[in-house]
Amino acid sequence: MKEEKKSSYKDFFDAIILAGGESKRFGTDKCSFEIDGKTMLQRVAENFENPIIVTRTPRNCRIEIIDDGKGPIKALEIAIKKIKKDKVFVTGCDFPFIKRKVVEYICSKDYEITMPLLEYPQPLLGCYDTRFLKSNISRIVSLQDLIYLANNVYLIGTEEIKMIDSSLDSLRNINRLTDFYTKIKIFTKSKILLR
């Protein structure tokens, strides 16, 4: 992957991109898969000022951490040591159509966790309070577990996100080649969870 151009964005949050999966369902390294001349990882990374990319394969990125291959939670544990801002957006390279304005909207909400709600909450398009994430990462088995530990969670329904991204393409998770041809047709209302 070529060195990306320096972004002109000034983020009010940090960003972590998990890029160490095995891509078994995709059939090849999806982070290196090109769409219109850019890899899926480049397409995601260009939405952020200085994304922290956690990978098992060196990818020649600005801020890159080599993961030991023990899964997304361990990768996140390694990456959160580099977080400096009060919020962190966590995603994967398999959301190549994510739009900057959707990320900013998600991170603009003042909750311990904010993430889209499709058929289920989508933690790999989530914005997390850094203190909350750092104090709870060792207590979880999956990112979904964080929802049950948070005092307040904002699940953004597709009806609300549609106001910012009418196609809902930002929410498309590409795990198989056939996912390129599947549009999101899930309509959910936003929910606030308080404990």
Side-chain angles (χ1 to χ4, degrees):
M1 180 168 103
K2 294 180 210 155
E3 182 76 25
E4 305 104 57
K5 287 189 242 173
K6 180 90 170 128
S7 166
S8 61
Y9 299 124
K10 194 72 178 152
D11 291 332
F12 59 92
F13 52 86
D14 280 311
I16 295 173
I17 303 172
L18 301 178
E22 294 180 14
S23 303
K24 288 179 183 174
R25 292 174 284 179
F26 197 75
T28 186
D29 178 12
K30 62 184 159 185
C31 290
S32 297
F33 187 81
E34 288 192 11
I35 304 166
D36 296 330
K38 291 182 186 175
T39 67
M40 286 174 54
L41 179 57
Q42 284 173 315
R43 292 174 67 88
V44 174
E46 68 188 12
N47 285 287
F48 308 104
E49 183 180 9
N50 287 307
I52 300 162
I53 298 170
V54 188
T55 179
R56 285 193 273 172
T57 306
R59 299 185 187 275
N60 300 319
C61 301
R62 285 189 300 275
I63 302 175
E64 183 174 281
I65 299 168
I66 301 300
D67 175 21
D68 57 8
K70 293 185 180 172
I73 303 302
K74 289 295 178 193
L76 203 50
E77 274 187 288
I78 295 166
I80 60 175
K81 295 173 185 163
K82 299 240 182 226
I83 297 171
K84 295 180 175 92
K85 298 183 179 160
D86 292 337
K87 291 184 177 188
V88 59
F89 184 78
V90 178
T91 193
C93 70
D94 45 5
F95 292 95
F97 305 110
I98 190 150
K99 293 177 179 68
R100 169 75 184 190
K101 59 187 175 182
V102 172
V103 175
E104 287 179 344
Y105 186 77
I106 291 170
C107 287
S108 72
K109 305 298 180 188
D110 195 22
Y111 293 86
E112 287 179 328
I113 301 173
T114 305
M115 66 181 65
L117 176 64
L118 283 82
E119 293 154 309
Y120 52 85
Q122 182 46 269
L124 280 180
L125 284 174
C127 198
Y128 301 85
D129 175 87
T130 300
R131 279 175 289 161
F132 166 78
L133 186 60
K134 284 182 176 181
S135 63
N136 288 289
I137 192 76
S138 64
R139 300 174 60 196
I140 62 171
V141 175
S142 80
L143 286 173
Q144 292 275 2
D145 295 344
L146 289 169
I147 295 169
Y148 306 104
L149 297 173
N151 291 313
N152 53 73
V153 178
Y154 188 43
L155 300 175
I156 305 176
T158 56
E159 290 185 7
E160 186 173 346
I161 291 175
K162 205 168 178 79
M163 293 186 300
I164 299 141
D165 177 4
S166 61
S167 67
L168 295 175
D169 281 347
S170 291
L171 308 181
R172 287 174 59 200
N173 187 354
I174 306 297
N175 285 311
R176 297 173 182 83
L177 285 169
T178 55
D179 291 339
F180 283 110
Y181 306 104
T182 306
K183 293 285 185 183
I184 294 193
K185 295 178 182 167
I186 297 164
F187 299 100
T188 58
K189 302 254 185 223
S190 299
K191 297 178 184 180
I192 296 174
L193 307 176
L194 301 173
R195 288 181 182 65

